[in-house]
Structures are given as structure tokens and as C-alpha cells.
């Protein structure tokens, strides 16, 4: 219990600090947007490079990527089925897009490392790799085609290869599989470079928690629809997730902490990019999902408290 309090209390103190920063106008919205840019373009890529450069990438662990990719696909199908079979309860056209995907970048990394430490990031990064492939090569193309009426493969690939986070993942992956990391860490300049990345990565947890606290604002949204979407997604991810954990037992690399990291991953809210891909004339749906993501984020924090207490 004491360890749980020690791990979680700083998280809530940082969230509260973010709320106070907005309440007393210590930082402007523009300044907070600047902090987001630092996170997305500098801090997250640094952390992801280190995580993938040091992760256990043995070929027999390919199953992790495949199972997470499949998991995301199943969730997308479930959302679509609910929208078609229960349209009065799930009337939103983008229910399937809400049901799948997890906000690993802006929530997962900060929350996970704040509780379990940066040294544990490679474990959840391995789980997230299959998810990132799904987001870039299934989720984004489908939603882009629904918004514009066509699949712009060239543009998607261009965005993929120029995004700092994906570049850092790819470089970390190459350093890992080519066994370059020992050579880098074996020279003074290399160690200094890696140490600088570690120092930059340490910014992620506090800055993200500040930003989440700053962004929390509760507005009224339809209660019945909100409860239906919040509870049904939670049930879906937990039921299927628990089933996957049981299937994974005994496979290479699956220990108690891997299972904990998997649960921590599936408790995350849906991707924050969802409202950006909703058709521009769907004003109500854009507003609804934007607010629902805030409520789901609070629910995710509650889920982490429960996870820590188990």
C-alpha cells in the first residue's frame, strides 16, 4: 500500500499542478502548446529511441506485434458491429474508430514511466509497436478515406517517414537488430549522447501530466451515450485483453511485469487524433468525442489506481 501511494501521489500532484497552472493563468494556451511541441518532437522521440534500442527484439517475440495488431483490428470490428446493430445506443458514425487504438504517446509513456520508471519503458514499447503499425497502416488510411473519399497512400507514407516518433522508433529498431547499441555505449561520445537522451526523456512524465491537468475541463455531454461508449469499450478491451494474456502465458518474454504492462496499455484512452479525422461537417460528433476522450482519460487514471492496488 505504501509503495502504491508513493508511486501514485506524485502523478496526482503533477496533475493538480497543471490544473492550478490553468486556474491562475501561469501559462498561456500558446505556452502549453509549445510544451506539447517539445514533447512530441524532442522528448518522446528520445525516449522511444532508447526504448527500442534496448528492447528484447528476438525473432520469437514477433508474436507480440501480431497479437496487438490483431487485437486493435478486433476492437475496430466490435465498434462497427455495435453501431450497426444498436444504432439508438451507439448512433455515432465513428464508434468503430473510438473503440480501437490507445493514446500511447501523449498519455501512455508519461503515465507508465511516472509510475514504473523510464527503465521499464522497453516492455510497454514492445507492446505498443504492433499498435503503432495498426494506427499508421490501418487506422489512419481508413479514417482518411472516410474523411476525404480517397486513400492517399503516398501522403500517409510521407507523413509516416517524417514524423519524429516513427523515425526514432525505426532508428532504435535498427540499432537494436544490428547490435550497434553496445558500440555506441562503448565510447565516451556515445555514452554522452545516450545520457543526453535520458535527460531529455526524463521531461516526459512531468510535462505530460502538467498538460493533462491543464487540459481537464468538464463539459456536459449526453449521459446515456457517454456511459454506453465508456463502459462498452472498457468491457471490450478488458475481456479480450484478459483472454490474450491467458493465451500469452508461457510464451517467450511473458512474465508478471509484461502482463502488468499489457494491462496498463489497454487501460489507455482512445487515440487523441480521432476528432481530427472526423468529417468537418460532423460538428456534434467532433465535439462529443473531444469531450468523451477527456472523461475516458480520467477513467484511465482510475484504472491505473486499481491496477496498482492488485
Amino acid at each position: 500500500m505504501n509503495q502504491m501511494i508513493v508511486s501514485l501521489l506524485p502523478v496526482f500532484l503533477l496533475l493538480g499542478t497543471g490544473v492550478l497552472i490553468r486556474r491562475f493563468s501561469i501559462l498561456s494556451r500558446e505556452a502549453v502548446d509549445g510544451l506539447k511541441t517539445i514533447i512530441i518532437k524532442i522528448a518522446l522521440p528520445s525516449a522511444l529511441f532508447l526504448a527500442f534500442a534496448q528492447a528484447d527484439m528476438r525473432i520469437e517475440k514477433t508474436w507480440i506485434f501480431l497479437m496487438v495488431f490483431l487485437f486493435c483490428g478486433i476492437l475496430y470490428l466490435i465498434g462497427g458491429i455495435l453501431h450497426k446493430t444498436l444504432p439508438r445506443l451507439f448512433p455515432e458514425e465513428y464508434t468503430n474508430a473510438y473503440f480501437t487504438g490507445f493514446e500511447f504517446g501523449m498519455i501512455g509513456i508519461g503515465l507508465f514511466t511516472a509510475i514504473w520508471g523510464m527503465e521499464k519503458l522497453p516492455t510497454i514499447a514492445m507492446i505498443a509497436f504492433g499498435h503503432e503499425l495498426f494506427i499508421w497502416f490501418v487506422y489512419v488510411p481508413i479514417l482518411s478515406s472516410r474523411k476525404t473519399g480517397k486513400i492517399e497512400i503516398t501522403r500517409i507514407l510521407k507523413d509516416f517517414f517524417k514524423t519524429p516518433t516513427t523515425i526514432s522508433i525505426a532508428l532504435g529498431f535498427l540499432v537494436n537488430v544490428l547490435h550497434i547499441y553496445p558500440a555506441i555505449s562503448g565510447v565516451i561520445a556515445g555514452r554522452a549522447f545516450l545520457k543526453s537522451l535520458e535527460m531529455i526523456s526524463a521531461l516526459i512524465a512531468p510535462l505530460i501530466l502538467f498538460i493533462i491537468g491543464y487540459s481537464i475541463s468538464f463539459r456536459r455531454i449526453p449521459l446515456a451515450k457517454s456511459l454506453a461508449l465508456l463502459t462498452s469499450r472498457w468491457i471490450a478491451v478488458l475481456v479480450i485483453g484478459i483472454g490474450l494474456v491467458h493465451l500469452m502465458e508461457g510464451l517467450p518474454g511473458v512474465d508478471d511485469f509484461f502482463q502488468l504492462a499489457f494491462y496498463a496499455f489497454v487501460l489507455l484512452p482512445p487515440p487523441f487524433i480521432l476528432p481530427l479525422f472526423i468529417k468537418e461537417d460532423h460538428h456534434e460528433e467532433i465535439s462529443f468525442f473531444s469531450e468523451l476522450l477527456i472523461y475516458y482519460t480520467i477513467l484511465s487514471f482510475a484504472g491505473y489506481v486499481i491496477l496498482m492496488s492488485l
Side-chain angles (χ1 to χ4, degrees):
M1 177 61 74
N2 288 342
Q3 183 57 46
M4 183 183 75
I5 294 172
V6 169
S7 297
L8 287 174
L9 190 56
V11 171
F12 290 104
L13 287 174
L14 291 170
L15 285 171
T17 302
V19 173
L20 293 175
I21 288 172
R22 186 190 75 241
R23 174 69 180 81
F24 294 102
S25 301
I26 296 172
L27 290 178
S28 65
R29 171 59 66 180
E30 290 74 20
V32 173
D33 288 340
L35 291 178
K36 286 182 182 178
T37 301
I38 290 174
I39 292 170
I40 293 170
K41 293 189 176 182
I42 302 174
L44 277 178
S46 299
L48 289 169
F49 172 82
L50 291 173
F52 280 94
Q54 299 175 81
D56 184 355
M57 289 286 188
R58 288 175 294 170
I59 191 67
E60 56 265 34
K61 286 196 170 184
T62 307
W63 61 268
I64 298 176
F65 314 144
L66 297 175
M67 290 188 78
V68 173
F69 190 96
L70 181 62
F71 177 46
C72 293
I74 292 171
L75 290 174
Y76 185 87
L77 292 175
I78 289 173
I81 291 169
L82 289 175
H83 172 60
K84 289 182 178 180
T85 57
L86 299 170
R88 295 184 64 182
L89 197 56
F90 302 97
E92 285 70 29
E93 181 182 337
Y94 289 82
T95 296
N96 47 11
Y98 159 83
F99 251 75
T100 194
F102 303 89
E103 187 48 53
F104 176 64
M106 282 302 293
I107 301 292
I109 293 178
L111 190 53
F112 188 84
T113 56
I115 296 173
W116 289 287
M118 190 63 68
E119 67 276 6
K120 297 291 188 180
L121 184 59
T123 302
I124 197 170
M126 285 288 292
I127 297 167
F129 186 70
H131 167 265
E132 295 303 307
L133 292 176
F134 177 85
I135 292 295
W136 275 103
F137 296 108
V138 178
Y139 190 87
V140 169
I142 289 176
L143 293 191
S144 293
S145 67
R146 288 168 66 175
K147 185 175 183 178
T148 64
K150 56 184 178 180
I151 299 179
E152 300 173 297
I153 295 295
T154 303
R155 184 183 63 79
I156 291 168
L157 287 173
K158 192 178 295 184
D159 289 343
F160 177 81
F161 287 110
K162 72 177 184 181
T163 302
T165 50
T166 55
I167 292 171
S168 63
I169 290 172
L171 289 175
F173 183 83
L174 285 174
V175 166
N176 191 312
V177 297
L178 297 176
H179 306 291
I180 300 173
Y181 191 86
I184 296 174
S185 60
V187 296
I188 293 175
R191 286 198 298 273
F193 170 70
L194 295 174
K195 184 65 178 177
S196 67
L197 294 184
E198 290 173 8
M199 294 173 68
I200 295 169
S201 300
L203 297 171
I204 292 175
L207 288 183
I208 284 180
L209 293 171
F210 283 155
I211 290 169
I212 294 170
Y214 187 97
S215 304
I216 291 174
S217 61
F218 298 106
R219 296 178 187 148
R220 286 191 176 183
I221 52 178
L223 181 61
K225 288 197 301 182
S226 303
L227 288 176
L229 285 164
L230 289 170
T231 56
S232 56
R233 177 180 152 114
W234 252 57
I235 291 170
V237 297
L238 288 176
V239 169
I240 300 173
I242 290 169
L244 283 177
V245 167
H246 284 297
L247 286 174
M248 294 176 189
E249 288 180 357
L251 292 174
V254 177
D255 53 18
D256 290 342
F257 188 77
F258 178 91
Q259 294 183 18
L260 184 145
F262 186 83
Y263 286 128
F265 183 80
V266 302
L267 287 173
L268 294 172
F272 284 3
I273 60 171
L274 169 59
L276 302 177
F277 286 98
I278 297 176
K279 294 176 183 176
E280 292 173 0
D281 57 347
H282 288 45
H283 303 295
E284 286 189 15
E285 199 158 346
I286 292 172
S287 177
F288 174 71
F289 277 119
S290 296
E291 293 301 318
L292 189 66
L293 288 172
I294 294 174
Y295 284 90
Y296 201 108
T297 301
I298 301 302
L299 196 61
S300 295
F301 277 91
Y304 269 66
V305 173
I306 295 170
L307 185 63
M308 288 286 293
S309 66
L310 297 176

